[in-house]
Amino acid sequence: MDATLGASPSGQLAHKPTGRISDPIFVGLLWASGLFVLVLLGLIIAMLFHGGLPALKEFGAAFLWSTSWNPVTEKFGAGVMVFGTLFSAIIAVIVALPLSFGIAFFLTEIAPMKLRRPIGVAVQLLAAIPSIIYGMWGFFIVVPLIAAYIQPPLIEWLGPLPVIGALFQGPPLGAGMLTAGLILALMILPFITAMFVEVLESVPPMIKESAYGVGATTYEVYRNVSVPYGRTAMVGAVMLGLGRALGETMAVTFVIGNATRMSASLFAPGSTIASTIANEFPEAPMGSLKLQALLQLGFILFVISFIVLALSRLLVRSKLKS
């Protein structure tokens, strides 16, 4: 008995020094991991801002909205690229959002169990396809189909209309804002759909069964119960998809036309910040004004992404308060 009692305190004493040493180390590693993200993000921001500052000093605040991009005369402006980035991303969200709702609703409420898993896996596999494959597929398959079968009738039927007709004017080139938006929609579809499915599956069955019990239809349960229950997470999913669309590079570079001009037409070729950087960066000499303008474009893209994230946080917070 004495030996046992004597061994226990010694065993405890043997473990205490280990705890005193390991716990501060563990906490320190956690702090280092968290601060590493902030430091890395700060270094990226500083590099982009410092590298693009000479271009901003050269052209002033007009660099943000100027539509001039001429490497020969060294006149650079970000207006066309900012417009193309926002325009193509908005098209992508407009197309992907109803499709994501429909697929998520089908998988959670309508599809039989034998089909839910195969369709769900197929949707998730879309996220695993490299962006350059989307771009090549869009260039060789989607662009010719749109130029031959989609754009001509839309130009003929909707082009002459007032106001909205401006969106459907121009030659049927195939490559342009609409094509880029459609490819981006296909790329962000699996991200938004996966989050929608998780949100809809998290709705308590008792709430839906109560709605069915008072005579609600499947659509009414989906609209009045499932969507309001998970609308906060759904807003976050949409903003996640929008952020992905804003920064996409290779797929957009293949199908957007890469023209540094601004047009209200969906069929007009254009360019985004990411596609311009991908196209122009290899030809920008070190220390040149062109390279500085490209770095400033990267900083502007970061600011746009930050604004989208901040807006999503505000929307989610307002939904929580309501």
Side-chain angles (χ1 to χ4, degrees):
M1 180 67 68
D2 294 339
T4 304
L5 292 175
S8 179
S10 62
Q12 293 176 0
L13 290 174
H15 288 288
K16 282 183 180 181
T18 305
R20 292 195 187 101
I21 296 174
S22 61
D23 191 64
I25 294 176
F26 178 69
V27 174
L29 290 175
L30 294 180
W31 272 95
S33 301
L35 294 176
F36 173 76
V37 177
L38 296 178
V39 172
L40 181 62
L41 184 62
L43 291 175
I44 293 174
I45 297 172
M47 184 274 294
L48 291 174
F49 180 76
H50 182 267
L53 188 59
L56 191 61
K57 290 180 178 179
E58 176 72 20
F59 304 107
F63 178 83
L64 300 176
W65 56 79
S66 173
T67 58
S68 175
W69 187 272
N70 192 336
V72 177
T73 60
E74 291 195 334
K75 299 294 183 181
F76 301 105
V80 175
M81 296 77 181
V82 173
F83 172 79
T85 299
L86 297 176
F87 197 12
S88 59
I90 290 173
I91 294 172
V93 172
I94 291 175
V95 174
L97 184 57
L99 290 175
S100 298
F101 267 119
I103 296 172
F105 180 59
F106 175 76
L107 291 176
T108 55
E109 299 291 342
I110 305 298
M113 295 302 297
K114 293 182 179 180
L115 290 179
R116 289 186 183 184
R117 184 174 180 81
I119 296 177
V121 172
V123 172
Q124 293 175 4
L125 285 176
L126 291 175
I129 300 176
S131 61
I132 194 171
I133 302 300
Y134 278 110
M136 295 173 64
W137 173 73
F139 182 78
F140 289 108
I141 304 298
V142 179
V143 168
L145 290 177
I146 290 181
Y149 301 106
I150 304 298
Q151 290 182 346
L154 290 178
I155 293 172
E156 181 181 356
W157 299 336
L158 302 178
L161 296 178
V163 185
I164 65 171
L167 296 173
F168 304 96
Q169 294 178 354
L173 302 175
M177 287 293 178
L178 178 62
T179 308
L182 293 177
I183 298 299
L184 286 175
L186 189 61
M187 296 181 68
I188 67 176
L189 180 69
F191 297 97
I192 301 178
T193 302
M195 294 190 67
F196 280 3
V197 169
E198 291 184 5
V199 171
L200 295 176
E201 288 180 344
S202 66
V203 179
M206 184 179 299
I207 300 178
K208 295 192 292 185
E209 292 172 0
S210 300
Y212 284 123
V214 296
T217 63
T218 303
Y219 170 73
E220 290 173 340
V221 171
Y222 180 69
R223 177 182 178 183
N224 300 319
V225 177
S226 299
V227 173
Y229 182 86
R231 59 183 178 180
T232 300
M234 289 180 176
V235 171
V238 173
M239 289 301 177
L240 176 64
L242 178 59
R244 170 71 191 276
L246 288 172
E248 181 52 46
T249 304
M250 296 310 301
V252 174
T253 304
F254 273 89
V255 299
I256 200 170
N258 300 306
T260 54
R261 60 177 181 268
M262 188 182 300
S263 175
S265 176
L266 294 170
F267 305 148
S271 60
T272 65
I273 293 177
S275 66
T276 301
I277 294 175
N279 286 322
E280 303 282 350
F281 198 84
E283 301 175 359
M286 186 64 65
S288 64
L289 187 60
K290 182 179 181 180
L291 179 61
Q292 295 163 358
L294 292 174
L295 291 173
Q296 188 62 33
L297 282 179
F299 179 75
I300 293 173
L301 180 59
F302 178 86
V303 172
I304 293 174
S305 301
F306 178 80
I307 292 174
V308 170
L309 178 61
L311 288 176
S312 67
R313 299 288 295 180
L314 290 176
L315 289 173
V316 169
R317 187 173 299 175
S318 63
K319 294 294 184 182
L320 290 174
K321 290 182 179 178
S322 62

